[in-house]
Amino acid sequence: MPEFHSLKQYDVDLDVFHANVLRMGCMVENQLDNAVTCFRNRDLILTESVIGTLQEVNRLEITLDSECRRLIVRHQPTANDLRVVMGTNKVVSDLERIGDEVRKIALSAKDLHLSSEPKSIAHQDMLNQLAGLTITIVHNALDMFARLDATYSDDLISEEGIITMKFRFLSKRLIDEMTDVWRAEPATLNVLWTIKALERITDYAKNIAEQVIFIVDGKDVRHAKIEAA
């Protein structure tokens, strides 16, 4: 972590906080991969495991929030120190939101498993590709946070924008197809919900990258385009 504080205990507590956030990130990343596998293979047992683990993620978010408050009360960090703590805590919030979207994917997979519809899903290949890109961008954002390295943040943020356009293209294509036949197949709706969840996950991964920039450089780039307009 950046050396902004003279108290050794503060550094230790901050390192522990950072490590616990990474543990939460690892859990979320693993369950995202599992949820995508559930959706692809309709694995009901793995689906239930994903949902159960995500409940633990929610409990961990509450624990980390309390840990953050104790850190602030105990050490009363200011300036750069406070920026590191608050930026890290915002990463916790984004991880919890990713967990919520992963749960939606798992529930869609469960719904598909319990349905009597054919195993094939509309545009499965494209969905698999986008899911893979989502997993990669989450992994890269967490790697940035683990190393507190904002070097590749611009690339990640740009990549998120490209992936979002692909998600919207596929969503429009599915909606147009349903409009043509004047009906919405349950499987197609599950694909749409999964696409939306994956799109939101990439957005939260971008938020994590932006928080790394804030922690390392003190720059708030969330609304840079708005301010530049």
Side-chain angles (χ1 to χ4, degrees):
M1 301 293 292
E3 65 276 17
F4 295 134
H5 207 283
S6 60
L7 294 177
K8 181 64 176 177
Q9 188 58 49
Y10 172 80
D11 293 333
V12 171
D13 290 346
L14 191 57
D15 284 344
V16 170
F17 183 46
H18 186 256
N20 286 335
V21 175
L22 282 175
R23 182 164 69 91
M24 181 182 182
C26 184
M27 292 173 65
V28 168
E29 182 181 359
N30 287 338
Q31 296 318 306
L32 170 60
D33 187 59
N34 287 337
V36 169
T37 299
C38 293
F39 193 88
R40 185 185 301 120
N41 300 336
R42 302 195 189 187
D43 187 331
L44 185 60
I45 296 176
L46 184 58
T47 299
E48 297 295 351
S49 174
V50 169
I51 294 171
T53 302
L54 290 173
Q55 291 175 345
E56 177 59 29
V57 169
N58 289 336
R59 286 191 289 268
L60 186 55
E61 189 245 350
I62 295 172
T63 299
L64 287 171
D65 190 56
S66 298
E67 191 175 326
C68 177
R69 289 198 299 270
R70 284 197 302 271
L71 197 82
I72 293 173
V73 170
R74 182 176 184 181
H75 299 290
Q76 299 182 5
T78 59
N80 292 334
D81 289 333
L82 184 60
R83 186 183 80 217
V84 172
V85 174
M86 298 308 295
T88 302
N89 201 46
K90 287 181 179 179
V91 171
V92 174
S93 297
D94 285 316
L95 287 173
E96 190 273 334
R97 292 185 179 107
I98 290 176
D100 287 343
E101 298 303 322
V102 171
R103 184 175 184 273
K104 293 176 184 178
I105 296 172
L107 290 174
S108 291
K110 183 176 181 179
D111 187 58
L112 276 174
H113 176 86
L114 297 175
S115 72
S116 58
E117 294 189 44
K119 292 292 183 182
S120 61
I121 300 173
H123 307 293
Q124 179 74 70
D125 289 343
M126 186 179 294
L127 180 60
N128 289 342
Q129 178 190 18
L130 292 174
L133 290 171
T134 301
I135 292 170
T136 298
I137 200 171
V138 170
H139 175 80
N140 290 342
L142 289 172
D143 184 59
M144 286 177 54
F145 176 70
R147 295 182 291 110
L148 289 181
D149 183 357
T151 305
Y152 301 105
S153 57
D154 289 343
D155 291 340
L156 187 147
I157 292 170
S158 297
E159 184 180 8
E160 185 274 337
I162 295 171
I163 294 173
T164 294
M165 287 190 292
K166 291 181 178 180
F167 279 128
R168 292 176 181 173
F169 170 79
L170 181 54
S171 296
K172 184 178 184 303
R173 188 169 176 179
L174 288 170
I175 292 171
D176 288 344
E177 288 175 2
M178 287 190 296
T179 302
D180 288 341
V181 297
W182 291 99
R183 71 174 182 275
E185 299 290 347
T188 304
L189 289 174
N190 277 307
V191 171
L192 281 171
W193 292 330
T194 298
I195 289 170
K196 191 60 181 177
L198 289 169
E199 181 184 349
R200 285 173 177 156
I201 288 170
T202 62
D203 194 42
Y204 294 136
K206 181 192 71 171
N207 289 351
I208 292 173
E210 291 173 344
Q211 287 307 320
V212 174
I213 296 172
F214 178 68
I215 291 169
V216 175
D217 298 327
K219 298 178 182 177
D220 188 344
V221 298
R222 291 174 299 172
H223 307 299
K225 291 182 179 180
I226 296 175
E227 293 173 356

